Amino acid sequence: MRIPPSDAPLVGVLALQGDFREHLKAVHEVGARAVPVRRPAELAAVDGLVIPGGESTAIDKLSRAFELADPIRERIADGLPVYGSCAGMILLADRIEDPTLDLEGRPQQTFGGIDMTVRRNAFGRQRESFEVDLDFAGLEFSAGPDGGVAPVHAVFIRGPWVESIGDDVDVLAQLHPDEMPSAATLDSRARIVAVRSGNALATSFHPEVTGELRVHELFIRMIKGEA
């Protein structure tokens, strides 16, 4: 197994719920040090944070129970590099189009950090999960000898999409109607599935489950100031 150097970035993976183990492995495989984060002191020590796929409502509730929600918001606001996949994208959104309500009618909370509105479970239920190859901007470091960049193989599992973005948000990848399940029921708009805003990166899909490491490598380059 590859051993990251002692001066490699220390990347925390929020380990309250979801597929955080897969993210820990992916971060390690791209040459960074990876640690689970469950307490504020662990969060304070990291150079970047990954918010994994899972259940956004559960991660929201657990982050508050573990007194992590406010420290995460503060560190993101202070410029901590952060990457969220699937549920992590929802938690990085400033706004949710269709938030879950608790028993008292209060909407779920997010950490925020990206000026975007997301729609939860936008592509349907788990049985409508699908895979597709995506053109993904920002991966020029992986170009082959001919200068071409291979598409990203993306797995969507009850993934969100981005309804709208602010002026400071860059679109990195989109899905077109003929690439989506139940495409005939959708309008003709492409759906945004990957974005970047400064030090914040988010994807609707799960690169951590396919062995696609370039998204994590992009994130490590962001931490280092190389992208």
Side-chain angles (χ1 to χ4, degrees):
M1 179 179 291
R2 181 177 182 180
I3 300 176
S6 60
D7 61 348
L10 181 63
V11 180
V13 179
L14 189 61
L16 302 177
Q17 192 269 343
D19 63 346
F20 59 87
R21 294 177 184 85
E22 288 82 356
H23 276 291
L24 287 165
K25 180 181 178 183
V27 168
H28 187 88
E29 288 184 354
V30 296
R33 295 176 293 153
V35 293
V37 168
R38 297 185 179 92
R39 294 186 289 271
E42 295 165 341
L43 174 68
V46 301
D47 302 311
L49 179 69
V50 175
I51 304 172
E55 295 287 344
S56 62
T57 52
I59 296 173
D60 164 35
K61 292 175 183 177
L62 288 168
S63 70
R64 285 182 274 147
F66 280 73
E67 299 183 341
L68 269 169
D70 286 339
I72 290 174
R73 290 189 189 99
E74 291 167 5
R75 290 221 60 192
I76 292 174
D78 287 342
L80 176 73
V82 60
Y83 165 50
S85 68
C86 198
M89 170 182 267
I90 296 169
L91 288 159
L92 289 179
D94 286 347
R95 299 168 299 278
I96 303 176
E97 182 74 17
D98 54 344
T100 293
L101 305 179
D102 65 17
L103 294 176
E104 297 180 4
R106 294 172 298 197
Q108 70 182 97
Q109 300 178 25
T110 71
F111 304 134
I114 301 180
D115 182 8
M116 63 180 176
T117 301
V118 300
R119 181 176 295 278
R120 300 167 54 254
N121 302 332
F123 294 106
R125 300 181 179 181
Q126 188 148 344
R127 66 171 178 263
E128 295 174 290
S129 300
F130 65 102
E131 303 180 26
V132 66
D133 289 336
L134 285 175
D135 290 329
F136 195 106
L139 303 182
E140 290 78 13
F141 59 83
S142 69
D146 62 353
V149 176
V152 167
H153 188 69
V155 174
F156 291 83
I157 306 170
R158 295 175 60 202
W161 68 43
V162 179
E163 290 274 334
S164 62
I165 57 174
D167 293 338
D168 64 344
V169 181
D170 295 321
V171 175
L172 301 184
Q174 300 184 73
L175 270 179
H176 298 281
D178 60 357
E179 298 172 310
M180 294 183 260
S182 305
T185 67
L186 301 172
D187 59 37
S188 60
R189 287 189 298 151
R191 301 297 182 178
I192 300 169
V193 294
V195 296
R196 178 179 176 181
S197 178
N199 280 334
L201 176 69
T203 62
S204 300
F205 55 91
H206 294 266
E208 70 277 9
V209 304
T210 63
E212 170 57 77
L213 297 175
R214 288 176 295 165
V215 176
H216 288 83
E217 185 173 350
L218 171 61
F219 181 53
I220 302 307
R221 287 172 177 263
M222 290 168 55
I223 296 172
K224 292 179 177 180
E226 298 174 354

